[in-house]
Amino acid sequence: MQIQYVVIIGSSRLPNMSAHGVRLAHLSAAFAQLGIETLLICKNNDKIEKDFFSYYDVEKNFTIKKIDFQKVGDRFSKFPFLNKIGYKIEHYLWSDKVKNICQKSSRNTLFITDSCFQAWLLSKNGMRTLLEIHCIPGKISLQWLKRFTKTKGFAGIVTLTESMKYFMIDSFKMGQDKIAIIHSAFDPKKFEDLPTKEDARARLDLPLDVPIIGYIGRFKPMGIEKGIPQLIEAVAKMQKKRRVILFCAGGPLEYEEHYRGIASKFGLTDSNFVLKGYIPHADIPLHICACDILPINWDDIPELNLAASPMKMFEYMAAGGCIVASRIPSLNCVLKDKINSLLVQPGNIQCLVNAFEEILNSKVISDTISKNARIDAFANYTWQARAQKMLTHAKNILGVS
């Protein structure tokens, strides 16, 4: 048997503004670029009329099957406990619907999903399935995952970080060869011909003569704070020596009042704290290039230090950004101190300030980490490289060519 077809299964309604949608779109395009006929199956988001391929700015080289699917969970929105059950029911119904569609596929097909239940349902019916783990599975998901590993269609597991791999090994006493660490990625085409810092700032109406520390991305994905309050405090401290701007772009702006309140508490005004809402994915390189420093100052909590591999880390690297990141396992398997980034103790504001000042005061350090980050990104972390690693892992598990 050879793998001639790939079917990627999404659990959300597309297109949407989440990183999940971006990943599915770019991964689908990457498999197609490898010469494999690729199908993406997802729920249809009828609230966004823009063409899927234009929305995500990806090559139209794969097929997408968007299915109108009823929102079961919304029926219980007034009752939080029942609401959770409703979404579970919706997920199981969706998985069964997808299984019925996938059963019509060629036996030379590899199925890829990030749902433990979906993976088990497909593989127990003989469909060769690769499971991606993007977060810590809950108790019920862990049970489905355990069953999945014993099915005839098992084609391996992919984790985003080393920490998550060893969590899985400890949980299931599974052989290391069954799990591959394959980090997230970026689209190299968007980062080949980059604007200068001056051009980017002119286009975004940002001052040319002031250092800018940038947070580019969703403000609180899945309700998890990703460091903006600490950045506000750090930038406020820096004002004593020089004017510095904190530029946060990505939205949603429903959090604006919350962050403005924190900024006011530390004495930041509109002149040194700029907030911007949603930005199209195609415009992300422009916003990154406007910044002098790009922090990823996450707290040391399980949701972030175990499984997360943010796409923006690789986009920052690809743009040759000067990254200051927390010293936590999920980031440090890619980011190396004084090589392609500066690493700091999580939650330590003064450490953040010191790292920012070090970059602003030393061209040698800023040039070194910028150059190394860009080289590392293009050498190892493109979407096509990720697709190839996933394909190779599945083939090794299945013993096929």
Side-chain angles (χ1 to χ4, degrees), residues 91-256:
H91 179 60
Y92 293 149
L93 291 174
W94 168 250
S95 297
D96 189 61
K97 186 176 185 69
V98 169
K99 179 207 71 175
N100 293 334
I101 295 170
C102 291
Q103 281 180 324
K104 302 172 185 176
S105 302
S106 163
R107 59 185 303 275
N108 294 331
T109 301
L110 175 66
F111 300 90
I112 300 174
T113 178
D114 59 8
S115 160
C116 297
F117 177 73
Q118 182 84 77
W120 168 77
L121 192 62
L122 294 175
S123 60
K124 89 178 185 75
N125 283 281
M127 288 171 266
R128 295 164 176 84
T129 307
L130 178 67
L131 172 65
E132 286 200 78
I133 301 290
H134 288 265
C135 59
I136 304 170
K139 290 182 180 180
I140 296 175
S141 292
L142 282 173
Q143 293 305 311
W144 293 122
L145 197 155
K146 188 174 183 179
R147 296 180 186 183
F148 165 63
T149 62
K150 299 176 182 178
T151 56
K152 56 184 177 181
F154 176 78
I157 294 172
V158 167
T159 68
L160 295 173
T161 67
E162 187 174 284
S163 302
M164 193 65 205
K165 173 176 178 173
Y166 289 103
F167 169 81
M168 301 296 297
I169 290 172
D170 291 342
S171 298
F172 300 108
K173 311 303 177 190
M174 193 184 307
Q176 292 195 27
D177 60 326
K178 303 294 184 186
I179 306 175
I181 305 165
I182 307 177
H183 302 289
S184 195
F186 77 100
D187 181 358
K189 290 182 181 178
K190 293 185 176 68
F191 291 86
E192 287 172 349
D193 186 20
L194 295 171
T196 64
K197 185 190 300 181
E198 293 73 21
D199 181 38
R201 292 192 183 188
R203 289 162 65 181
L204 295 172
D205 197 24
L206 294 169
L208 300 177
D209 58 346
V210 182
I212 294 179
I213 295 173
Y215 177 106
I216 312 301
R218 300 273 291 173
F219 294 165
K220 290 179 71 172
M222 297 182 293
I224 300 174
E225 191 65 75
K226 293 289 187 75
I228 292 179
Q230 292 92 334
L231 292 178
I232 292 172
E233 186 175 352
V235 169
K237 277 178 172 278
M238 296 177 73
Q239 305 299 322
K240 297 173 184 177
K241 290 186 178 180
R242 67 178 108 199
R243 183 187 172 202
V244 178
I245 290 175
L246 175 58
F247 177 47
C248 299
L253 287 179
E254 66 188 67
Y255 296 113
E256 180 173 10

Side-chain angles (χ1 to χ4, degrees), residues 72-73 76-89:
V72 178
F76 307 97
S77 58
K78 294 182 180 179
F79 309 98
F81 178 71
L82 292 177
N83 188 31
K84 190 174 181 180
I85 293 175
Y87 281 114
K88 284 287 184 186
I89 293 171

Side-chain angles (χ1 to χ4, degrees), residues 8-72:
I8 298 174
I9 302 159
S11 56
S12 57
R13 300 175 191 278
L14 301 181
N16 62 41
M17 292 188 291
S18 72
H20 177 72
V22 175
R23 176 182 61 82
L24 291 172
H26 282 85
L27 190 61
S28 299
F31 273 107
Q33 287 164 5
L34 295 177
I36 298 173
E37 191 172 324
T38 304
L39 169 66
L40 170 61
I41 300 176
C42 64
K43 300 170 189 173
N44 182 37
N45 183 0
D46 55 11
K47 294 181 179 180
I48 295 179
E49 296 180 359
K50 190 173 182 179
D51 171 70
F52 178 93
F53 297 94
S54 300
Y55 187 89
Y56 289 115
D57 193 27
V58 293
E59 185 179 349
K60 198 171 185 178
N61 59 356
F62 62 93
T63 304
I64 179 168
K65 186 178 183 67
K66 292 193 286 185
I67 300 170
D68 291 320
F69 193 78
Q70 189 175 16
K71 294 183 178 181
V72 178

